[in-house]
Amino acid sequence: MAIKRIGVLTSGGDAPGMNAAIRGVVRAGFYHKVEIVGIFRGFSGLLNDEIKVLSHRSVSNIISRGGTILKTSRCPEFMTYEGQKRAVEILQRNSIDALVVIGGDGSYRGADVLSREWNFPCVGLPGTIDNDLNGTDRTIGSDTALETALDAIDKIKDTVNSMERIFIVEVMGRNCGYLALKAAVAGGAEQVLIPEVPYELPDICQEITEGYIRGKASWIIIVAEGAGSAVDLAKKITDITDLETRVVVLGHIQRGGDPTAEDRILGSRLGVAAVDLLVKGESGKAVGIVCDKVNLVSLEAACSPYKLDTSSDLKLIRILT
Ligand code: ADP
Ligand code: F6P
């Protein structure tokens, strides 16, 4: 069946560069003479029929903007059989032949269900700051989020060094320590705590105390949100070491801001690749970039548990501290 109309939606946590990907999809649709419709607010918007044709001009000047012009959401209803059945009916009623889903692992699972269980053509683009999807070196938004975290850490460092304190900086990453690990290396932090690697607080406190005795009174610990609350950690460190601690939780700031050049290029390349694939009749694939080449894996493989390679960065931090 020739693909005449493709829907595009963003789902789950927003990520800078999603707009570049939407623009890529729309402009590639124009190139292939395929109509592109935007589905607003992710799978929730699909279930509410929030669907609008996206013209060539509708995506002008969005490549540099953070967030997503299509909005995004989390949609428990789409996880049910009834919700999915209704979603397919709405897609068919709107003459949508295929779907581009831009999101994280949860959104990929939704796209996988549509393509395998409901036989509806779907491809996924990796849109998450967490960088926790298989089949791509980077996810859209992870580079911008890392730069944002780094900018904050650099500023924190000025006050840490001036007042000789211990700072605990919490970055996003519920299940994946990618942002924490890279921010720790790039920010010259003394320690990093990530969900992938268990740690003993007394050991960390001993290192801090030994450093203090050697005359090292400034200490930055980066903690991924999934490895413990920075507020709790700070209190425990003060209790054990009797040293003053301060806390910064970077939170959703990391999801905002203008996308970096890398995220704009990544989003643009992947948006175009997604339409190419659907036009060729592909489905059930996640599109990524590996070693600067477009790379395809099944949606199922892309959202299977991600294994972050931690050893080389952890070693680096140990040597550099
Ligand atoms: P992200 O895509 O950023 O990981 P979520 O995990 O919240 O974000 O997933 C986004 C949405 O994807 C969910 O709200 C739900 O609508 C859909 N989704 C997630 N998991 C599944 C699943 N197993 N089956 C169908 N849909 C799913
Ligand atoms: O998946 C992206 C992410 O920003 C995670 O790093 C974080 O744990 C989560 O989303 C936060 O979700 P919410 O926007 O629902 O607070």
Side-chain angles (χ1 to χ4, degrees):
M1 180 195 72
I3 301 284
K4 297 197 194 75
R5 205 169 205 228
I6 293 175
V8 57
L9 62 82
T10 47
S11 164
D14 51 278
M18 279 182 160
N19 279 331
I22 295 164
R23 176 175 174 269
V25 169
V26 171
R27 297 280 160 95
F30 190 77
Y31 177 83
H32 285 286
K33 301 187 172 46
V34 171
E35 188 169 56
I36 305 293
V37 294
I39 299 165
F40 288 76
R41 298 180 178 79
F43 293 118
S44 306
L46 174 56
L47 292 175
N48 288 328
D49 240 318
E50 293 184 68
I51 299 170
K52 207 170 98 184
V53 173
L54 296 177
S55 68
H56 193 278
R57 298 234 56 81
S58 68
V59 291
S60 298
N61 302 318
I62 66 166
I63 191 167
S64 56
R65 281 166 51 196
T68 158
I69 58 158
L70 291 178
K71 318 264 185 213
T72 182
S73 70
R74 297 201 162 95
C75 177
E77 194 187 343
F78 185 72
M79 313 217 5
T80 65
Y81 176 89
E82 276 311 312
Q84 292 158 13
K85 184 166 182 280
R86 218 156 62 72
V88 174
E89 281 164 9
I90 292 169
L91 286 163
Q92 286 168 347
R93 194 177 345 109
N94 283 277
S95 306
I96 298 173
D97 304 313
L99 194 61
V100 180
V101 173
I102 308 171
D105 58 338
S107 305
Y108 270 21
R109 272 188 277 281
D112 190 37
V113 165
L114 275 181
S115 95
R116 284 200 298 158
E117 292 176 23
W118 295 89
N119 207 20
F120 192 88
C122 274
V123 298
L125 298 186
T128 167
I129 64 165
D130 294 345
N131 204 44
D132 60 350
L133 292 170
N134 301 299
T136 190
D137 288 341
R138 293 280 168 277
T139 57
I140 299 164
S142 58
D143 187 61
T144 308
L146 179 57
E147 288 298 332
T148 302
L150 187 58
D151 181 53
I153 291 164
D154 286 347
K155 289 181 171 122
I156 290 163
K157 219 165 178 169
D158 291 342
T159 172
V160 167
N161 288 330
S162 305
M163 294 203 71
E164 303 194 300
R165 276 170 167 163
I166 301 165
F167 253 81
I168 328 285
V169 183
E170 185 180 309
V171 301
M172 275 191 158
R174 205 170 287 157
N175 304 310
C176 179
Y178 173 84
L179 277 179
L181 200 54
K182 299 296 173 187
V185 174
E190 276 70 22
Q191 254 146 353
V192 63
L193 306 179
I194 52 177
E196 291 84 350
V197 180
Y199 60 91
E200 296 291 337
L201 204 56
D203 295 346
I204 290 166
C205 290
Q206 193 178 335
E207 277 184 53
I208 296 172
T209 311
E210 283 169 6
Y212 199 77
I213 293 165
R214 287 197 316 269
K216 183 172 173 49
S218 310
W219 206 273
I220 296 185
I221 303 173
I222 309 292
V223 54
E225 59 176 327
S229 140
V231 174
D232 292 349
L233 284 168
K235 195 176 166 315
K236 286 181 188 151
I237 291 171
T238 300
D239 286 348
I240 298 173
T241 63
D242 214 20
L243 294 169
E244 233 188 315
T245 51
R246 290 288 186 275
V247 171
V248 174
V249 178
L250 294 183
H252 291 77
I253 287 172
Q254 293 155 101
R255 289 237 294 257
D258 299 343
T260 58
E262 186 171 319
D263 279 330
R264 295 179 199 196
I265 295 166
L266 183 62
S268 302
R269 282 183 80 180
L270 294 180
V272 169
V275 175
D276 280 351
L277 278 176
L278 289 173
V279 166
K280 282 183 194 147
E282 284 271 11
S283 173
K285 296 286 181 339
V287 197
I289 302 278
V290 172
C291 296
D292 207 32
K293 298 242 174 343
V294 171
N295 185 60
L296 302 184
V297 293
S298 69
L299 282 163
E300 188 188 16
C303 64
S304 66
Y306 179 76
K307 205 169 169 333
L308 179 69
D309 179 10
T310 58
S311 55
S312 54
D313 285 330
L314 289 175
K315 187 174 172 197
L316 206 53
I317 294 167
R318 265 201 309 278
I319 293 171
L320 296 173
T321 297

